[in-house]
Amino acid sequence: MEICLSHSNTPSLAHCNTPAEFMRKFLTLFSREVTSYFYSPIAYIVLLFFLIVSGVDFYFQISFMNQRPVPYSVQEAFFNSVFFWFAFVLIFPLITMRLFAEEFKLGTIEPLMTAPVRDWQVVLSKFFGALVFYLVLWIPTILYFVIFQYVTHQPAAASAGAYWGSYLMLLLLGMFYLSVGCLASVLTRNQIIAAVISFCAITLLFFLGLISFVLLDISSQTRQLLGYFSAIEHMGTFSRGEIDTRPIVLYLSMTIVMLGLTYEAFQSRKWRL
Amino acid sequence: METVTAPDKPRPIRRLQIGANVVLQIVLLLFLAAMVNYLGFEHYRRWDFSRDKKYALSDKTKRVLGTLKSKLRITVFFAPETPITNDVQNLLT
């Protein structure tokens, strides 16, 4: 970690309060997080696994649509299939389990916590590092649609808005679930436990909306409330090219809540017994 | 030259006070998030960016709806295998 120099050229911590200084420290931590992803073999295994599943998903959707007329586009089918759901729910524990748990286990958290950086800088850098890796996972899927259009000379989506909607929804859902994973990882020093906690929480959150299919005799208010939290429904709406402000508010606010809880849990190392 | 005094015994940290502070912060955070979500749920906007605007009401429909004086209750019956069932459901939610 770096120590900033004050005007008298003596190392001091009291002069580090300018926004530029904060930003520089954040960027140092952030680049450390991003590069550490690509130094570990897990990143490439996750990338490969994800490419296989999303590729199979894409292939299945196309061969299904080849056989019968369907009222939706390839892009809609791709983002709303069971294949997509399973791969989607599984990648978050894999990405986030090591964030804090590994540092606790290896003891590298001690120099990080005694370094002249704020705790929230550490939490945010870990979160955004994971977010960058998550976005890298999705980049190849854009290629699928490009190749599809090149080969078949057919539009893969009904409109450009459908692309924007579905990738915006991926970003929002990704932010929320990655922050859930951050919280799970900060609670334990065992990566497997962190993965199990976040997998359980994310699966329940993601499939919450399906309750309204199980319980048929619920009031329309409850149904509306369940719809408000239903990630599957949000993905359906956004991938059709409809932009709704409700999920945007929900996921941004819940991300902030989860990161706040992560921060408190991380900082509690300093005062709890 | 600065005089450096030896620090006396480290003061014990007040765990109870910090703990209460953290609990208060968490409660405030949750309360704020709940309020934001309540407002977001009540006041929302929705834009249709699909090409044929299949999921938005047409201007004609909006004009008819604008002329309504009181609340109107419409009951629609659909067989689930009708091809437009899904579209109607999407439009009504």
Side-chain angles (χ1 to χ4, degrees):
Chain A
M1 285 311 110
E2 63 224 297
I3 299 170
C4 70
L5 297 175
S6 64
H7 297 299
S8 57
N9 257 359
T10 47
S12 115
L13 303 180
H15 297 271
C16 296
N17 293 326
T18 61
E21 207 55 55
F22 271 133
M23 206 58 215
R24 197 162 61 86
K25 282 182 188 173
F26 171 74
L27 287 179
T28 309
L29 287 169
F30 173 69
S31 59
R32 167 183 177 266
E33 286 305 319
V34 174
T35 46
S36 78
Y37 264 109
F38 293 97
Y39 283 144
S40 79
I42 298 177
Y44 299 96
I45 293 170
V46 171
L47 260 170
L48 182 73
F49 151 82
F50 189 70
L51 274 181
I52 292 172
V53 177
S54 58
V56 169
D57 177 18
F58 196 70
Y59 171 75
F60 269 42
Q61 298 309 329
I62 291 180
S63 36
F64 183 84
M65 293 171 86
N66 253 339
Q67 290 157 19
R68 70 216 81 194
V70 286
Y72 46 79
S73 64
V74 181
Q75 169 264 348
E76 263 178 72
F78 177 75
F79 285 113
N80 293 292
S81 70
V82 179
F83 271 104
F84 166 80
W85 294 344
F86 275 103
F88 188 68
V89 170
L90 249 175
I91 52 174
F92 293 107
L94 292 175
I95 295 177
T96 56
M97 64 180 191
R98 53 168 283 283
L99 281 180
F100 290 97
E102 192 181 49
E103 300 228 36
F104 289 149
K105 188 100 175 178
L106 298 176
T108 50
I109 198 73
E110 301 304 340
L112 192 61
M113 287 192 91
T114 47
V117 287
R118 297 292 173 90
D119 285 347
W120 59 261
Q121 284 174 322
V122 174
V123 171
L124 281 186
S125 65
K126 284 191 179 293
F127 171 71
F128 281 108
L131 190 63
V132 165
F133 181 71
Y134 169 76
L135 294 179
V136 168
L137 276 185
W138 283 107
I139 291 173
T141 61
I142 300 173
L143 263 183
Y144 295 170
F145 301 118
V146 174
I147 294 171
F148 178 85
Q149 298 204 355
Y150 178 74
V151 173
T152 62
H153 301 290
Q154 299 268 327
S159 63
Y163 284 122
W164 286 113
S166 43
Y167 281 97
L168 175 66
M169 199 65 226
L170 280 183
L171 175 68
L172 287 169
L173 276 174
M175 282 170 74
F176 177 39
Y177 292 156
L178 286 175
S179 61
V180 172
C182 278
L183 180 61
S185 185
V186 84
L187 293 177
T188 171
R189 49 187 296 160
N190 187 321
Q191 291 194 32
I192 306 295
I193 295 177
V196 170
I197 296 173
S198 56
F199 178 70
C200 190
I202 291 168
T203 311
L204 285 178
L205 285 167
F206 190 74
F207 291 106
L208 186 70
L210 293 184
I211 297 175
S212 58
F213 289 99
V214 182
L215 306 170
L216 289 171
D217 51 346
I218 49 176
S219 67
S220 75
Q221 249 120 18
T222 326
R223 198 175 291 274
Q224 233 183 350
L225 198 67
L226 282 171
Y228 182 67
F229 292 104
S230 169
I232 291 173
E233 215 168 283
H234 295 156
M235 197 66 222
T237 328
F238 275 61
S239 63
R240 283 198 305 263
E242 283 178 90
I243 308 293
D244 195 328
T245 54
R246 278 171 295 181
I248 299 178
V249 170
L250 173 70
Y251 291 124
L252 285 183
S253 64
M254 292 317 282
T255 305
I256 293 170
V257 167
M258 286 298 154
L259 286 179
L261 293 179
T262 309
Y263 169 75
E264 298 292 4
F266 183 58
Q267 221 188 17
S268 75
R269 275 172 61 88
K270 285 179 175 167
W271 56 269
R272 71 171 173 209
L273 286 170
Chain B
M1 182 90 189
E2 276 178 77
T3 52
V4 181
T5 51
D8 39 21
K9 261 194 345 192
R11 267 180 294 156
I13 55 171
R14 300 194 194 121
R15 291 177 206 286
L16 207 66
Q17 205 178 347
I18 300 173
N21 195 0
V22 165
V23 169
L24 186 71
Q25 280 180 33
I26 292 174
V27 168
L28 272 178
L29 187 68
L30 291 178
F31 177 72
L32 269 177
M35 284 292 104
V36 166
N37 275 291
Y38 174 73
L39 286 175
F41 185 66
E42 293 285 311
H43 309 277
Y44 63 90
R45 295 209 52 189
R46 204 176 166 118
W47 297 276
D48 188 357
F49 287 116
S50 57
R51 190 182 293 147
D52 42 3
K53 300 271 180 289
K54 200 162 74 172
Y55 310 106
L57 296 174
S58 65
D59 288 338
K60 208 171 176 182
T61 315
K62 278 182 191 158
R63 235 177 296 137
V64 172
L65 291 176
T67 60
L68 291 177
K69 297 243 163 36
S70 60
K71 277 197 174 176
L72 187 68
R73 198 183 176 89
I74 304 174
T75 311
V76 187
F77 292 98
F78 261 107
E81 60 268 17
T82 322
I84 61 165
T85 309
N86 254 331
D87 286 344
V88 172
Q89 227 159 29
N90 288 330
L91 206 56
L92 290 177
T93 48

